Amino acid sequence: MRMQDKVALVTGAAGGIGLAIARQYAQEGATVVVADLNAEACEASAEEIRAEGGHATGLAMDVTDEQAVDAGVAEIARRHGRLDVVLSNAGIQHIDPLDELALADWRKVMAVHLDGGFLLTRAALRQMYRQPEGGRIIYMGSVHSMEASPLKAPYVAAKHGLLGLCRAVAKEGAEHGVSANIICPGFVRTPLVDRQIPQQARELGISEEEVISKVMLKNTVDGEFTSLEEVSELATHLAAFPGNGLTGQAFVVSHGWHMH
Ligand code: NAD
């Protein structure tokens, strides 16, 4: 029970990595707010967590919507009196070569990752600065916060940007007891990855199996996908770690794809 009595907000938590982390946070004793675009999907995921004995509520929140983020965080503070952990996880991918990339698609990816990350951070800090215990802000980066891949320019740029935001929060937040860290996973089998396998196969003119073995897992030490459990364990460790000892850091969980 590493997160007993903590209140945690996880965005993009209706499915994929966000839901896996929300689930583990609840198993560790936290009260979890499951935020995502669709109210029913949030409630269904929260219900899943409650059925496992955890405390969870759903919250419809588009992270690119300033009003929705401010109102959502204010509602959590009103209901629970505190906000200890924020995991900025909502994300989208877009596959296109740079010379064909539409400005609208570039902006969409930037908006979800960077505008979303900023809006969530600002709202969380305003609450955490009022709490003597401060808080933990954790970003879902990627190996693409450090490495580039072809066809993913907006995603790579946005994930590098989140690393910068994380470091800035670490500097400003320290005196208020707020730490910030970023998790950088390799490929995890979620809907986000499943969608891009056929897209990449088409763009690169190779089979879907080759996208997995020759593109996604080529540089791992064991040819394995990173698992939801591995990412959730790291997210729990960072949420529970006391003090400012770990802040402004990037943690790569990628089966050795990226070593730094
Ligand atoms: P996913 O598509 O399964 O989940 C992403 C969630 O974000 C979805 O539920 C979606 O509805 C939500 N979302 C999208 N736009 C939103 C918005 N504007 N406001 C609120 N919610 C929004 O993908 P995933 O693989 O679980 O990805 C989660 C995070 O992990 C993303 O930030 C992604 O970039 C990152 N990541 C994923 C992998 C991977 O291999 N799957 C690797 C590294 C990093």
Side-chain angles (χ1 to χ4, degrees), residues 122-156:
R122 190 181 63 180
L125 290 180
R126 286 174 177 167
Q127 172 58 31
M128 289 173 176
Y129 284 1
R130 284 201 284 264
Q131 307 172 173
E133 312 81 6
R136 307 263 161 272
I137 301 189
I138 304 169
Y139 298 93
M140 191 54 64
S142 163
V143 164
H144 286 113
S145 298
M146 291 156 188
E147 300 244 3
S149 293
L151 308 176
K152 295 184 176 175
Y155 186 84
V156 169

Short mmCIF file of all heavy atoms in Angstrom, two decimals, residues 122-156:
data_model
loop_
_atom_site.label_atom_id
_atom_site.label_comp_id
_atom_site.label_asym_id
_atom_site.label_seq_id
_atom_site.Cartn_x
_atom_site.Cartn_y
_atom_site.Cartn_z
N ARG A 122 -0.39 23.47 -14.72
CA ARG A 122 -0.74 24.75 -14.07
C ARG A 122 -1.86 24.56 -13.06
O ARG A 122 -1.76 25.04 -11.91
CB ARG A 122 -1.16 25.76 -15.15
CG ARG A 122 -1.32 27.17 -14.61
CD ARG A 122 -1.75 28.14 -15.68
NE ARG A 122 -3.07 27.79 -16.20
CZ ARG A 122 -3.69 28.48 -17.16
NH1 ARG A 122 -3.11 29.53 -17.72
NH2 ARG A 122 -4.89 28.12 -17.58
N ALA A 123 -2.89 23.82 -13.46
CA ALA A 123 -4.01 23.60 -12.54
C ALA A 123 -3.54 22.80 -11.31
O ALA A 123 -3.93 23.11 -10.18
CB ALA A 123 -5.13 22.86 -13.26
N ALA A 124 -2.70 21.79 -11.54
CA ALA A 124 -2.23 20.95 -10.43
C ALA A 124 -1.35 21.76 -9.47
O ALA A 124 -1.50 21.67 -8.25
CB ALA A 124 -1.45 19.75 -10.97
N LEU A 125 -0.46 22.58 -10.03
CA LEU A 125 0.45 23.35 -9.17
C LEU A 125 -0.33 24.32 -8.29
O LEU A 125 -0.01 24.51 -7.11
CB LEU A 125 1.47 24.13 -10.01
CG LEU A 125 2.54 23.28 -10.71
CD1 LEU A 125 3.49 24.19 -11.51
CD2 LEU A 125 3.33 22.43 -9.73
N ARG A 126 -1.38 24.93 -8.86
CA ARG A 126 -2.17 25.89 -8.07
C ARG A 126 -2.75 25.20 -6.84
O ARG A 126 -2.86 25.82 -5.79
CB ARG A 126 -3.27 26.51 -8.94
CG ARG A 126 -2.68 27.52 -9.93
CD ARG A 126 -3.72 28.05 -10.90
NE ARG A 126 -3.12 29.05 -11.78
CZ ARG A 126 -3.67 29.53 -12.89
NH1 ARG A 126 -4.86 29.07 -13.27
NH2 ARG A 126 -3.06 30.43 -13.60
N GLN A 127 -3.15 23.94 -6.97
CA GLN A 127 -3.65 23.19 -5.81
C GLN A 127 -2.49 22.70 -4.94
O GLN A 127 -2.50 22.86 -3.72
CB GLN A 127 -4.50 22.00 -6.30
CG GLN A 127 -4.92 21.04 -5.19
CD GLN A 127 -5.71 21.71 -4.06
OE1 GLN A 127 -6.44 22.67 -4.29
NE2 GLN A 127 -5.56 21.21 -2.84
N MET A 128 -1.46 22.12 -5.55
CA MET A 128 -0.37 21.52 -4.77
C MET A 128 0.40 22.57 -3.96
O MET A 128 0.88 22.29 -2.87
CB MET A 128 0.59 20.75 -5.69
CG MET A 128 -0.02 19.47 -6.23
SD MET A 128 1.05 18.68 -7.46
CE MET A 128 0.12 17.18 -7.80
N TYR A 129 0.53 23.79 -4.50
CA TYR A 129 1.23 24.85 -3.77
C TYR A 129 0.48 25.24 -2.49
O TYR A 129 1.06 25.83 -1.58
CB TYR A 129 1.40 26.09 -4.66
CG TYR A 129 2.49 25.99 -5.73
CD1 TYR A 129 3.25 24.85 -5.88
CD2 TYR A 129 2.74 27.07 -6.59
CE1 TYR A 129 4.23 24.76 -6.87
CE2 TYR A 129 3.71 27.00 -7.57
CZ TYR A 129 4.45 25.84 -7.72
OH TYR A 129 5.42 25.77 -8.69
N ARG A 130 -0.82 24.92 -2.44
CA ARG A 130 -1.61 25.24 -1.24
C ARG A 130 -1.49 24.16 -0.17
O ARG A 130 -1.95 24.33 0.94
CB ARG A 130 -3.09 25.39 -1.62
CG ARG A 130 -3.42 26.69 -2.31
CD ARG A 130 -4.92 26.99 -2.18
NE ARG A 130 -5.69 26.15 -3.07
CZ ARG A 130 -6.10 26.54 -4.29
NH1 ARG A 130 -5.82 27.75 -4.71
NH2 ARG A 130 -6.80 25.74 -5.04
N GLN A 131 -0.92 22.99 -0.55
CA GLN A 131 -0.84 21.86 0.38
C GLN A 131 0.55 21.81 1.00
O GLN A 131 1.54 21.85 0.28
CB GLN A 131 -1.05 20.53 -0.37
CG GLN A 131 -2.29 20.47 -1.20
CD GLN A 131 -2.40 19.24 -2.09
OE1 GLN A 131 -3.43 19.04 -2.70
NE2 GLN A 131 -1.36 18.43 -2.21
N PRO A 132 0.63 21.67 2.32
CA PRO A 132 1.97 21.59 2.95
C PRO A 132 2.79 20.41 2.41
O PRO A 132 4.01 20.48 2.35
CB PRO A 132 1.65 21.39 4.43
CG PRO A 132 0.18 21.50 4.61
CD PRO A 132 -0.47 21.63 3.28
N GLU A 133 2.09 19.34 1.96
CA GLU A 133 2.82 18.15 1.48
C GLU A 133 3.27 18.30 0.03
O GLU A 133 3.99 17.43 -0.48
CB GLU A 133 1.94 16.90 1.55
CG GLU A 133 1.19 16.68 2.84
CD GLU A 133 -0.10 17.51 2.93
OE1 GLU A 133 -0.47 18.17 1.94
OE2 GLU A 133 -0.71 17.50 4.00
N GLY A 134 2.85 19.35 -0.67
CA GLY A 134 3.22 19.49 -2.08
C GLY A 134 2.58 18.41 -2.92
O GLY A 134 1.41 18.08 -2.73
N GLY A 135 3.33 17.83 -3.84
CA GLY A 135 2.74 16.80 -4.70
C GLY A 135 3.75 16.25 -5.69
O GLY A 135 4.93 16.62 -5.69
N ARG A 136 3.25 15.35 -6.53
CA ARG A 136 4.08 14.68 -7.55
C ARG A 136 3.44 14.88 -8.91
O ARG A 136 2.26 14.53 -9.08
CB ARG A 136 4.13 13.16 -7.30
CG ARG A 136 4.54 12.76 -5.90
CD ARG A 136 6.03 12.44 -5.89
NE ARG A 136 6.56 12.48 -4.55
CZ ARG A 136 7.05 13.58 -3.95
NH1 ARG A 136 7.06 14.73 -4.57
NH2 ARG A 136 7.54 13.52 -2.75
N ILE A 137 4.20 15.39 -9.85
CA ILE A 137 3.69 15.47 -11.22
C ILE A 137 4.54 14.53 -12.07
O ILE A 137 5.78 14.58 -12.03
CB ILE A 137 3.74 16.91 -11.76
CG1 ILE A 137 2.88 17.80 -10.85
CG2 ILE A 137 3.24 16.95 -13.20
CD1 ILE A 137 2.64 19.19 -11.34
N ILE A 138 3.87 13.66 -12.78
CA ILE A 138 4.57 12.66 -13.60
C ILE A 138 4.05 12.78 -15.04
O ILE A 138 2.84 12.79 -15.26
CB ILE A 138 4.32 11.23 -13.05
CG1 ILE A 138 4.72 11.15 -11.57
CG2 ILE A 138 5.10 10.20 -13.88
CD1 ILE A 138 4.27 9.88 -10.88
N TYR A 139 4.97 12.88 -15.97
CA TYR A 139 4.60 13.00 -17.39
C TYR A 139 4.81 11.65 -18.07
O TYR A 139 5.79 10.95 -17.75
CB TYR A 139 5.44 14.07 -18.09
CG TYR A 139 5.22 15.43 -17.48
CD1 TYR A 139 6.05 15.89 -16.45
CD2 TYR A 139 4.16 16.22 -17.87
CE1 TYR A 139 5.82 17.11 -15.84
CE2 TYR A 139 3.91 17.44 -17.27
CZ TYR A 139 4.75 17.88 -16.26
OH TYR A 139 4.51 19.09 -15.65
N MET A 140 3.95 11.33 -19.02
CA MET A 140 4.19 10.16 -19.85
C MET A 140 4.92 10.64 -21.10
O MET A 140 4.32 11.18 -22.02
CB MET A 140 2.86 9.47 -20.21
CG MET A 140 3.06 8.10 -20.84
SD MET A 140 4.11 7.00 -19.85
CE MET A 140 3.08 6.80 -18.38
N GLY A 141 6.25 10.51 -21.05
CA GLY A 141 7.05 10.81 -22.22
C GLY A 141 7.13 9.56 -23.08
O GLY A 141 6.14 8.83 -23.21
N SER A 142 8.30 9.30 -23.60
CA SER A 142 8.49 8.15 -24.49
C SER A 142 9.99 8.05 -24.75
O SER A 142 10.72 9.03 -24.52
CB SER A 142 7.75 8.41 -25.80
OG SER A 142 8.20 7.55 -26.82
N VAL A 143 10.43 6.91 -25.26
CA VAL A 143 11.80 6.89 -25.79
C VAL A 143 11.93 8.03 -26.81
O VAL A 143 13.00 8.61 -26.99
CB VAL A 143 12.13 5.51 -26.41
CG1 VAL A 143 13.36 5.59 -27.30
CG2 VAL A 143 12.34 4.48 -25.32
N HIS A 144 10.78 8.40 -27.42
CA HIS A 144 10.80 9.51 -28.37
C HIS A 144 10.93 10.88 -27.69
O HIS A 144 10.90 11.91 -28.35
CB HIS A 144 9.57 9.45 -29.29
CG HIS A 144 9.68 8.35 -30.30
ND1 HIS A 144 8.87 7.24 -30.30
CD2 HIS A 144 10.55 8.17 -31.33
CE1 HIS A 144 9.23 6.43 -31.28
NE2 HIS A 144 10.25 6.97 -31.92
N SER A 145 11.11 10.91 -26.36
CA SER A 145 11.55 12.15 -25.69
C SER A 145 13.06 12.32 -25.87
O SER A 145 13.61 13.37 -25.53
CB SER A 145 11.24 12.09 -24.19
OG SER A 145 9.86 11.98 -23.95
N MET A 146 13.73 11.27 -26.35
CA MET A 146 15.20 11.27 -26.48
C MET A 146 15.71 10.84 -27.84
O MET A 146 16.83 11.17 -28.21
CB MET A 146 15.79 10.31 -25.45
CG MET A 146 15.60 10.83 -24.08
SD MET A 146 15.63 9.53 -22.92
CE MET A 146 15.14 10.44 -21.50
N GLU A 147 14.93 10.06 -28.54
CA GLU A 147 15.32 9.54 -29.85
C GLU A 147 14.27 9.98 -30.87
O GLU A 147 13.13 10.22 -30.50
CB GLU A 147 15.29 8.00 -29.85
CG GLU A 147 16.21 7.37 -28.84
CD GLU A 147 17.30 6.54 -29.52
OE1 GLU A 147 17.35 6.54 -30.78
OE2 GLU A 147 18.09 5.94 -28.80
N ALA A 148 14.67 9.99 -32.13
CA ALA A 148 13.70 10.26 -33.18
C ALA A 148 13.46 9.00 -34.00
O ALA A 148 14.30 8.10 -34.01
CB ALA A 148 14.20 11.37 -34.09
N SER A 149 12.32 8.92 -34.64
CA SER A 149 12.04 7.88 -35.62
C SER A 149 11.43 8.57 -36.82
O SER A 149 10.75 9.60 -36.66
CB SER A 149 11.03 6.86 -35.09
OG SER A 149 11.57 6.12 -34.04
N PRO A 150 11.61 8.02 -38.02
CA PRO A 150 10.95 8.62 -39.18
C PRO A 150 9.43 8.52 -39.06
O PRO A 150 8.93 7.64 -38.36
CB PRO A 150 11.47 7.78 -40.36
CG PRO A 150 12.11 6.58 -39.77
CD PRO A 150 12.42 6.86 -38.36
N LEU A 151 8.73 9.40 -39.71
CA LEU A 151 7.27 9.43 -39.85
C LEU A 151 6.53 9.93 -38.59
O LEU A 151 5.32 9.96 -38.56
CB LEU A 151 6.70 8.05 -40.24
CG LEU A 151 7.34 7.36 -41.45
CD1 LEU A 151 6.72 5.96 -41.64
CD2 LEU A 151 7.14 8.19 -42.71
N LYS A 152 7.29 10.30 -37.54
CA LYS A 152 6.62 10.67 -36.29
C LYS A 152 7.07 12.04 -35.78
O LYS A 152 7.16 12.25 -34.57
CB LYS A 152 6.95 9.62 -35.21
CG LYS A 152 6.39 8.25 -35.50
CD LYS A 152 6.66 7.31 -34.36
CE LYS A 152 6.02 5.98 -34.62
NZ LYS A 152 6.34 4.98 -33.60
N ALA A 153 7.36 12.96 -36.71
CA ALA A 153 7.96 14.25 -36.29
C ALA A 153 7.16 14.98 -35.21
O ALA A 153 7.75 15.42 -34.21
CB ALA A 153 8.16 15.15 -37.50
N PRO A 154 5.83 15.13 -35.35
CA PRO A 154 5.13 15.89 -34.30
C PRO A 154 5.19 15.21 -32.95
O PRO A 154 5.36 15.87 -31.91
CB PRO A 154 3.68 15.97 -34.81
CG PRO A 154 3.60 15.18 -36.05
CD PRO A 154 4.95 14.72 -36.45
N TYR A 155 5.08 13.90 -32.95
CA TYR A 155 5.12 13.14 -31.69
C TYR A 155 6.50 13.25 -31.05
O TYR A 155 6.62 13.50 -29.85
CB TYR A 155 4.80 11.68 -32.01
CG TYR A 155 4.64 10.76 -30.82
CD1 TYR A 155 3.44 10.67 -30.14
CD2 TYR A 155 5.70 9.95 -30.40
CE1 TYR A 155 3.29 9.80 -29.05
CE2 TYR A 155 5.56 9.08 -29.33
CZ TYR A 155 4.35 9.02 -28.65
OH TYR A 155 4.21 8.15 -27.59
N VAL A 156 7.55 13.12 -31.85
CA VAL A 156 8.92 13.21 -31.34
C VAL A 156 9.16 14.61 -30.76
O VAL A 156 9.70 14.77 -29.66
CB VAL A 156 9.94 12.89 -32.46
CG1 VAL A 156 11.36 13.24 -32.03
CG2 VAL A 156 9.84 11.42 -32.87
#
